Amino acid sequence: MLETLQKIVDNAPGAQASILMGFDGIAVMQALAADVDLDIESIAMEFSFRFIELRKAAESLEMGEISDIAIKAAQATILVRVLNEEFFVLLMLGDPRHLGKGRYVLRMQAPDLVSQL
Amino acid sequence: MLETLQKIVDNAPGAQASILMGFDGIAVMQALAADVDLDIESIAMEFSFRFIELRKAAESLEMGEISDIAIKAAQATILVRVLNEEFFVLLMLGDPRHLGKGRYVLRMQAPDLVSQL
């Protein structure tokens, strides 16, 4: 699992960290890019409760299950892939220019993470 | 403003509707694609309060101001561009394949909307 998370960080241009977390805010495992010092667990935890709210909204609006969330802010971009009812993987990019590539890498590695849960 | 919202819908492949709304959930104006019947106001309103929560989280984590949010669900994809402190424009896609193009169209038309606020 750590290997997969590290692969995500290594293959996504501008990536700073990836983390696998439960929607209850409990971290499973994380990987950081070289020379990056970041409390990715606190960041993902802070958002996890908001993600639950987004899922509830989508369901109540009959949009179906949320599979991906992207949030671009001034200093960082967060890409989220929902793995199943309980877990998600989050990728943090310092440079948002390769957002599409980041999303692609997440999607490609997601089945690998799911199989290890 | 209606013209710009209509242009967003017409130029984004798979688009169903666009709406300009305040973060307080009050709709300013909306545009629908031809043959689409959708309560885009209720959908945007339901999410608007969640968007405020995401903005608060990003600020508290020193990620800076959120400029874009994307939420992909099974039946629909929502793209959001923050226009300023008070307003956002939301684009709903029925087909998520052209998510990147949709984001591009939103970004291109955003200055036009801002200038009309």
Side-chain angles (χ1 to χ4, degrees):
Chain A
M1 183 177 285
L2 179 58
E3 203 181 316
T4 311
L5 290 169
Q6 195 66 55
K7 198 186 283 181
I8 290 170
V9 171
D10 293 344
N11 290 348
Q16 294 186 324
S18 69
I19 185 166
L20 198 155
M21 184 174 268
F23 283 101
D24 56 4
I26 296 174
V28 179
M29 205 167 273
Q30 64 179 65
L32 294 176
D35 305 322
V36 166
D37 183 21
L38 192 70
D39 186 359
I40 189 68
E41 183 172 341
S42 294
I43 294 170
M45 196 176 63
E46 186 77 20
F47 277 105
S48 63
F49 311 111
R50 271 79 173 191
F51 295 157
I52 292 177
E53 290 301 313
L54 292 177
R55 292 173 86 191
K56 281 186 196 161
E59 273 170 46
S60 76
L61 294 163
E62 293 175 0
M63 288 170 57
E65 287 280 325
I66 290 178
S67 60
D68 298 87
I69 302 166
I71 300 168
K72 188 176 161 193
Q75 320 297 338
T77 294
I78 276 177
L79 299 178
V80 175
R81 176 95 185 168
V82 177
L83 296 177
N84 59 29
E85 187 64 34
E86 288 170 77
F87 295 96
F88 65 89
V89 56
L90 180 151
L91 172 62
M92 187 152 184
L93 306 173
D95 178 350
R97 279 177 299 176
H98 305 286
L99 199 147
K101 180 69 195 294
R103 184 183 293 117
Y104 172 80
V105 171
L106 265 191
R107 194 170 68 234
M108 287 301 108
Q109 299 300 328
D112 222 48
L113 292 171
V114 171
S115 73
Q116 293 170 68
L117 283 171
Chain B
M1 181 177 286
L2 179 59
E3 202 181 317
T4 311
L5 289 170
Q6 196 65 55
K7 198 186 284 180
I8 290 170
V9 170
D10 294 344
N11 291 347
Q16 294 187 324
S18 69
I19 186 166
L20 199 154
M21 184 174 267
F23 283 102
D24 54 7
I26 296 173
V28 179
M29 203 166 275
Q30 65 180 65
L32 294 177
D35 305 321
V36 167
D37 182 21
L38 193 69
D39 186 1
I40 188 68
E41 184 172 341
S42 294
I43 294 170
M45 196 176 64
E46 186 76 20
F47 277 105
S48 63
F49 310 110
R50 270 80 173 191
F51 295 158
I52 292 177
E53 289 301 312
L54 292 177
R55 292 173 86 192
K56 281 185 196 160
E59 274 170 45
S60 77
L61 294 164
E62 292 176 359
M63 288 171 57
E65 287 279 325
I66 289 179
S67 60
D68 298 86
I69 301 166
I71 300 168
K72 187 176 160 194
Q75 319 298 338
T77 294
I78 277 177
L79 298 178
V80 175
R81 176 94 185 169
V82 177
L83 297 176
N84 59 28
E85 187 63 35
E86 286 170 81
F87 295 97
F88 66 87
V89 56
L90 180 151
L91 172 62
M92 187 153 184
L93 305 173
D95 178 350
R97 278 178 300 176
H98 305 286
L99 200 146
K101 181 69 194 294
R103 184 184 291 116
Y104 172 80
V105 171
L106 266 190
R107 194 171 67 236
M108 286 301 108
Q109 299 300 329
D112 223 47
L113 292 172
V114 171
S115 73
Q116 294 170 69
L117 284 171

